[in-house]
Each structure stands twice: as structure tokens, then as C-alpha cells.
Amino acid sequence: MSRTAVAPNPTSGTEQEEERRTAVIDLGSNSFRLVVYTSVPGSWWQRTDEIHEAVRVGAGLDAVGRLGDGPMARALRTIRLYARFCRASELEPECVHAVATSAIRDAANGEEFLARAREESGLDIRVLSRDEEARYGYLAACNSTTLDDGAVLDLGGGSLQLVDVRARQAVQSGSWSLGAVRMTERFLPEERASKKQLRALRDHVARELESANWLGRSGPRLVGLGGTVRNLARAAQKRAALPVPSVQDFTVTHDELDDLLAELAKLPASERGGVPGVKAQRGDLILAGAAVLRGVMEAGGFERLEVTEAGLREGIFFAEHLAPAEPPLFEDVRADSVSNLAAQYRADVVHARHVAALALGIFDALADAGLHPGDAQERDLLWAAAMLHDIGMAVDYDDHHKHSRYLILSAGLPGFTPRETAIVAQMARYHRKGSPSFDDLESLMEKGDRAMLDRGAALLRIAESLERSRDQIVERAAIEVDDDGLVSLRAISAQDASVARWVAERHVDQFERAFGRPLRIVA
């Protein structure tokens, strides 16, 4: 059963469940990151704070096998700061999960460093095994995308984790010392990378991945996470001039990655951080990271890399938030994403669900009558827009349709592609008035999407009108199409539905523009 339900409507007088705050501190080989999540178990969750520092505790580790004095000093200072932040934020110790990954795990003096870090910070730092690190990456990917069969890739500063996923279950996994920091120091240590150095790096990656003989049989999809993956995806978005605020569910093709590799290889390390989409502090590492990703795609025969914003930190949070489920997975990522966003902004769920039911009922009846194709994806997007059309009221009633659009685009919908998220946002944007258009999101669209938006906005307006009084008086809508093409919508109600009819009649013009047929409302 899905673990994400919609929170009670605050106007109903129902007492809100107690919110819980959880912090995850990820002591990675390249970056240290502290993330705070606020949640109501069994209901909703949200990331509510984050601190990031490029510590590079793994710098020099590959050469000497030990953490250096400089990296340890930076790391200890950051860990102490994170501990103070947790205390100042009044986070209970049992709600703070601090974990260390490959650099600290592999260093000969890792335990010595951890003993000092624990003593100076008071944090209970846990060293993740390779299998645990891979598992948390798998949970992050499968709870934020629709991956069923394929592979999960988690590229960090020190290591690469790969997980074989079948029917959403982790079948096997592996870890390789192919992190971006390690590969940069070993193969690309100079300001400029030669073709010979890049070839040596590619050959090394290929040899290492020979042990992942399952990679090409895992399934057609590859989902990637980690800072390098996100930066490369953002760079690909910038090159394509796509107007999306997030890389969640964005896809980087084999050819697009090759183009990025070629561009980055021409630049000195000090200038790679200037490539749009690449963070300055990651500029010297991004080329080696891109080469490793390219090697994985080649080894597995993957044509594209799907990106998620989630990472190891989310994996750790999901393991707790979804407990005691095993594995701790959302039942339906797309449905749970919509329900989670609706709950965050305290949507009137009874109203939203009734609008959705009315809209989908009309959608199905019109499809049966041959007025549109009845595409399942279009139906799913209409449902999502109906569930989220009023979340903008959390900002203000005036222009709440515009606020809903902003919140959907800004928060994102894991499991939905950027194009699908944009369509949902625009359907919500035009659920009240205006001539539907994609505005600045036009470049994301495909053939037929404008007609889809017109239909969705029209049906959402009609359904919202029939539920205008928010009392579910109109139980359902029956559709009839006569020989002259006139569509009659009969509002089925046991009570006086004159208000619903009066409001719905104001939107018959939008229906005719969308479906090419006149509409008559009958109560």
C-alpha cells in the first residue's frame, strides 16, 4: 500500500499530525552535505534545509592510501559546524544520521579520523559498507523515478556504485574505485588533458567494468545520481536552451554526453567550471566524471542516462520514512509525487479528488464518443493537474492558478518528465481563465501537446465549475452527442445544481475551441 497519503484539509478542523524533522549528514569523498527533511509519517515529506561544502576529504588518497592533514582539517572543521547547526536547530540526536562513504572507508587512517570526528562533534558517524552505499542509491533512484528494469548509477568522488534492478527490486550491485576525484588525480592531474590521458582513463574504466558482466542484461534504462551527473545534465539543458528549473527526470543521450566530453576536453581544468551548468568547484573534476559515465553507458549499451535529483541522502531518509516496508519503496512514484505535493500545500483534497473524478469521467465519455483519442498518458496528466490545480491558494486566492503553476514547476514531480510536468503546470495555470498556451515552456513540447493542453484546460474548467460550491452536489456528468455534433453534458445530482450549471456555461466556448463541437450544459 502506498505510504504517501494526502494530509487533512486544514479547514476541516481535523488536528494536524505531528511533523518530524530528520537530518542526514553525508560525508562524501568530494563534498560534505547536511540535509534536513520535514515529514509526517505516512503522509508527506519535504526537504527543508541544506548545507553543502566541497571538503574533498579524499584528495590525495589514491596516491598514498591515507587521508591527508589538510583534507582532515577541512573535514573536522565542517563536521563540527554541522554538529553545531543540528544542536542550534534543536534536532534530536536520534534524528541525525551521519554517514561516511568511500574515501573515509578506504583510508588506512579512516578509523583514527572518525574517532577524532566523533569526539569533537558528538555525532554518531556510521561508515557505510559498499553494499549499504549501493542500496541507498537504489532506494533514492527507485523512489524518485519510474525505473522498473535497468540499472542505477551513483557516481561520487571516490567510488562508483551500480545496481541491477529487476521489477523494482535490487538484484545485485557492485562498487568500483572510479570516483571523479580519484580518476582526476590518477589520469587527469594537469591543467590540460591530453588525448593519450583520456584514452588511458577510458581504457581503465572499460577494464574495471568487465566484472559487471550483468550490466548489459539489466534492462534498457540507466538512472544516474550524484553531483557529477546533475552538473552534466544541467550543462546539457543549457546547451539545448531548455527552460526547466530542475534536472529531475531529465535525459542525457549518448550523443549529448559525447558533445559535452569534447567541449570539456578542449578546456583547461581552471575553465571547465565556466561551462554553463557546471559548478565552479566541480570544474576540475567534471571531465573525468563525464568519462566514467561514458564508460558505463558504453559497457551496458545504454542510449541515454536518466537523471534524478535524489541521492544517497534521500535513500537514507526514505529507508526511515517508509519503514517498516521492505524494500522501502513508494507503490506508485507518480501518484505519490502528486499526493505529496498536494499535502505539502494543504490542498482541499475532497474538492480536488471530486474535480479529478468529474474531469476523468468526462474525458472517458468523450473518448468513447470518438471526440479525442483517449490517450492514457493524457488522462494521467489531467488527473495530476486536477489534484494540484488549487495548491496555489497556499500563497493567495488571487491569481492562485498562476501560483499553482509556479509551485508545480518549482517543486517538481518526480516520476514525470520535464515535458509532462510542464503540461500539468499549464493545465493548472489555465483552469480558471485565459487562452491556454505553453508560454516560455514551448520548447519542451512535442507534436500534439497544444491540443492536449486545450482539452485538459477545458475539461478542468468544466469539472471545477461543476464542483464550484465545493459540496460535491454534482455526482457525475453524463455525455451525449447528437447527430448534429452537439455535445450535451448532463450534471447528475439529487439536489439543485443550478449554481454548477450557471458556472459551467461560462466555459462552453473553451470546450468548443478544444473539441470542435458546441457544448450544452443540462442540470
Side-chain angles (χ1 to χ4, degrees), residues 252-333:
V252 181
T253 67
H254 195 283
D255 291 341
E256 288 169 338
L257 183 56
D258 279 348
D259 290 343
L260 279 171
L261 260 169
E263 178 183 355
L264 292 166
K266 292 177 183 178
L267 298 173
S270 58
E271 295 181 14
R272 292 175 200 143
V275 173
V278 177
K279 290 185 177 180
Q281 63 266 37
R282 198 175 289 274
D284 58 332
L285 307 177
I286 198 71
L287 179 58
V292 173
L293 292 178
R294 178 67 171 77
V296 174
M297 295 180 75
E298 188 71 26
F302 298 107
E303 290 297 320
R304 58 193 66 242
L305 172 67
E306 301 172 38
V307 181
T308 177
E309 292 268 13
L312 177 140
R313 297 161 296 280
E314 281 72 28
I316 293 171
F317 169 75
F318 288 139
E320 178 176 290
H321 182 63
L322 299 175
E326 187 54 47
L329 296 176
F330 293 117
E331 182 178 305
D332 183 329
V333 170

Side-chain angles (χ1 to χ4, degrees), residues 70-124:
M72 283 196 294
R74 292 194 299 271
L76 288 169
R77 181 172 61 250
T78 303
I79 291 170
R80 290 194 299 267
L81 286 171
Y82 284 4
R84 289 183 194 133
F85 176 91
C86 290
R87 289 193 293 270
S89 300
E90 298 182 343
L91 285 156
E92 298 296 332
E94 64 270 19
C95 295
V96 178
H97 306 275
V99 299
T101 57
S102 63
I104 296 172
R105 179 177 64 228
D106 296 342
N109 57 343
E111 279 301 326
E112 175 187 336
F113 166 78
L114 282 173
R116 184 176 172 188
R118 290 167 180 145
E119 180 181 359
E120 293 186 13
S121 69
L123 293 173
D124 182 17

Side-chain angles (χ1 to χ4, degrees), residues 475-517:
E475 299 169 12
R476 60 186 179 87
I479 296 292
E480 296 177 1
V481 183
D482 67 19
D483 293 340
D484 296 326
L486 174 66
V487 179
S488 294
L489 185 154
R490 185 176 298 277
I492 308 300
S493 174
Q495 303 178 53
D496 180 5
S498 57
V499 171
R501 178 183 178 182
W502 170 68
V503 179
E505 284 176 338
R506 301 165 67 182
H507 300 296
V508 296
D509 290 346
Q510 173 61 29
F511 181 93
E512 186 169 354
R513 284 194 296 270
F515 293 94
R517 303 288 183 91

Side-chain angles (χ1 to χ4, degrees), residues 2 4 45 139-148 168 248-249 308 318 322 329-340 380 383 413-416:
S2 171
T4 299
W45 70 275
L139 292 178
C142 286
N143 277 315
S144 61
T145 73
T146 59
L147 179 66
D148 286 316
R168 298 190 78 209
Q248 179 63 44
D249 290 286
T308 177
F318 288 139
L322 299 175
L329 296 176
F330 293 117
E331 182 178 305
D332 183 329
V333 170
R334 286 166 69 96
D336 280 294
S337 292
V338 172
S339 297
N340 189 56
D380 195 33
W383 169 80
L413 292 173
F416 291 76

Side-chain angles (χ1 to χ4, degrees), residues 57-68 103 106-107 157-158 177-179 181-187 204:
V57 70
L61 175 65
D62 198 52
V64 299
R66 296 175 60 84
L67 301 175
D106 296 342
S177 297
L178 295 173
V181 173
R182 279 179 168 161
M183 294 301 95
T184 298
E185 291 181 349
R186 182 171 177 180
F187 292 96
H204 175 71

